[in-house]
Amino acid sequence: MSDLVQLSSNLLYAAFILYLLATFLFGGAIRQKDKKADTKKSNSWGKLGITVTVLGFLAQLGYFITRWMAAGHAPVSNLFEFATFFGMMLVAGFIIIYFIYQVPALGLFALPVALLIIAYASMFPTEVSPLIPALQSDWLHIHVTTTAAGQGVLAISFIAGLIYLVKNIDQTKSSKQTFWLEVIMFSLVATIGFVIVTSTFSAMNYKASFDYVNKEGNPAVEEFNVPALIGPHEGVLKTDDRFEPLASVPALINAKKLNTVIWSIGAGFLLYALIRLIARKRIAALLQPAVKNLNDDLVDEIGYRSVLIGFPIFTLGALIFAMIWAQIAWTRFWGWDPKEVWALITWLFYAAFLHLRLSKGWHGEKSAWLAVIGFAIIMFNFIAVNLVIAGLHSYA
C-alpha cells in the first residue's frame, strides 16, 4: 500500500510539472502569433502545449487510479482528494474545449487555475484514510465524481469569461469594471500567497499548541501550523519560542481558520503590491497583450459551450445523484444542509445564465461577468462551505 501511495504522489507531482511546462508552451504559441510567425510554427507550439497537457492529465489519472487502489475506494472523500480531482476535471474540460476551438490562450489561463487548485489541495492532509461509515457507498464514486466533473467543465466558462473581460475592459481608466476585474486577479494572487505561506511554514515544521475554551465551554487543544496572529478563545500558548497572538476571538469563531485567512490575504497583498511595483500597471493590463488577437465571438462561444456541457453533468451529480444518495443514507431527498443549499444555488444560477443568454440575449461582457460570478459561487461552496459552515457534509 505504501508503495502505491508513493507512486500516486509521484504521478501527481509529475502532472503538476507537466501542466506548468504546458503553460509556458501555450505562452510560446501566443508570442509566436504576436510576432506574426508563420502559422505552422505557431500551431507547433500549440500542438506541443496540448500534447504535454494530455501527458500531464494521464499522469494525474494514474495518480487517481493508484490512490484508489491504495485506499480501496474512490479518492474523493476529503478536501485533498476532491480538490485534486476537481483540478483534473478542469484540465479534462480544457482539453475537450481545446480540441474543438484550438485556442492556445485558453491554456495560458486554464492551466494556472488548475495548478492553483492542485497546490491548494496539497495544503491539506494527504494521508490515505479509511472511509467513515456515512461515506461507505458506491454513490460516493458516482455523486462526487460527476459533481466535480460538472464543476470542472463549468470552470472553463469562467476562464473564457475572464479572457473576454481582460481583452475588452479598458485598462487606461478607472471604472467599476476595472475594479472588480482586479479584485478577481487579487483573489488568484491571494491563493498563491496562501500556498506560499503554508508551504513555507510547513517546510519549517512550524507548530504552536494552544489550550483554550471551546464554544461548549469545555477545555480543548488546538495546533496552529502558521504563527497565530489571532488566538483561540481564552487561549494559552503551550509551545515555547512561538509567536504570541495579537488578539483572541470569541468561542464561536474558529481562530485557526480565521488566522489562515488573515495570513493568506496579507501575503496576497504583499505579492500583489510587489507585482504592481515591478509591472507598474494592473495585473489585468499586464495580461491584456496575451489575448489582444482573440476573436470576441469565439471566446464568448467557448464560455457558452462550456456551460452547455458542464450544466447537465453538474445537474446529474450535484442534484439527482445527490438526492438519491441522501434518500438511501438519510431517508430524505432534501434536508436544507448548507452544502445542499449551495449546490441548489449553483444550479439555479447556471440555469439563469442559460435563460438570460437564450431569452434575453445576454452575450459578450454580460455573459462573461455571469460566468465569473458562477465560478465564485462554486469556489464559495468548495472552500467556505467545506471549511467554515458546519453541516452533514463537514466531513468533506
Side-chain angles (χ1 to χ4, degrees), residues 89-351:
M89 290 297 98
L90 193 158
V91 174
F94 159 68
I95 292 171
I96 293 169
I97 297 297
Y98 183 87
F99 279 118
I100 297 173
Y101 294 102
Q102 305 283 318
V103 179
L106 195 63
L108 190 62
F109 283 74
L111 292 179
V113 174
L115 287 168
L116 280 178
I117 292 172
I118 295 170
Y120 175 77
S122 68
M123 300 301 103
F124 296 97
T126 61
E127 296 82 6
V128 173
S129 56
L131 288 177
I132 64 174
L135 293 178
Q136 293 175 3
S137 169
D138 289 336
W139 284 103
L140 169 69
H141 316 154
I142 301 170
H143 157 57
V144 181
T145 55
T146 48
T147 299
Q151 290 177 335
V153 179
L154 289 172
I156 301 301
S157 69
F158 158 71
I159 305 299
L162 189 60
I163 291 173
Y164 190 98
L165 295 173
V166 168
K167 179 180 184 297
N168 290 281
I169 290 178
D170 186 0
Q171 296 294 326
T172 61
K173 59 183 181 181
S174 297
S175 64
K176 288 183 179 179
Q177 288 90 340
T178 55
F179 172 78
W180 286 111
L181 183 57
E182 205 62 12
V183 167
I184 297 167
M185 296 302 171
F186 171 76
S187 299
L188 297 174
V189 171
T191 305
I192 298 173
F194 165 78
V195 172
I196 292 173
V197 166
T198 312
S199 300
T200 301
F201 286 107
S202 177
M204 295 167 57
N205 197 29
Y206 185 95
K207 292 179 182 178
S209 182
F210 286 85
D211 289 339
Y212 75 105
V213 178
N214 62 23
K215 61 184 179 181
E216 286 81 24
N218 300 321
V221 178
E222 183 73 272
E223 186 175 85
F224 284 59
N225 301 111
V226 295
L229 302 175
I230 301 294
H233 179 60
E234 298 183 12
V236 177
L237 180 63
K238 305 300 290 184
T239 308
D240 295 334
D241 301 324
R242 294 307 187 198
F243 186 82
E244 286 282 355
L246 301 176
S248 59
V249 296
L252 292 175
I253 298 176
N254 188 308
K256 184 176 181 179
K257 292 172 182 175
L258 178 60
N259 189 64
T260 302
V261 170
I262 292 172
W263 269 100
S264 301
I265 294 174
F269 270 117
L270 288 175
L271 187 57
Y272 178 80
L274 181 62
I275 295 171
R276 289 293 301 268
L277 183 65
I278 295 172
R280 297 188 179 277
K281 60 177 68 174
R282 299 185 184 97
I283 294 179
L286 194 63
L287 294 173
Q288 208 165 39
V291 298
K292 65 182 180 180
N293 294 324
L294 290 178
N295 181 282
D296 287 348
D297 292 336
L298 177 62
V299 176
D300 185 56
E301 184 184 341
I302 290 172
Y304 172 55
R305 183 70 64 91
S306 301
V307 175
L308 281 181
I309 297 172
F311 181 67
I313 300 173
F314 180 81
T315 302
L316 278 174
L319 291 183
I320 297 174
F321 293 157
M323 288 179 177
I324 294 172
W325 190 13
Q327 177 63 31
I328 294 171
W330 299 317
T331 66
R332 85 314 184 258
F333 287 104
W334 187 262
W336 298 103
D337 181 72
K339 195 80 169 178
E340 296 173 68
V341 171
W342 278 96
L344 179 61
I345 290 172
T346 306
W347 185 87
L348 289 172
F349 180 87
Y350 280 103

Side-chain angles (χ1 to χ4, degrees), residues 1-7 66-67 69-72 127-130:
M1 176 177 169
S2 59
D3 291 340
L4 282 174
V5 173
Q6 185 60 48
L7 176 60
T66 51
R67 190 174 177 92
M69 293 169 62
E127 296 82 6
V128 173
S129 56

Side-chain angles (χ1 to χ4, degrees), residues 58-73:
L58 292 175
Q60 195 171 0
L61 184 62
Y63 144 80
F64 183 75
I65 293 171
T66 51
R67 190 174 177 92
W68 191 330
M69 293 169 62
H73 58 80

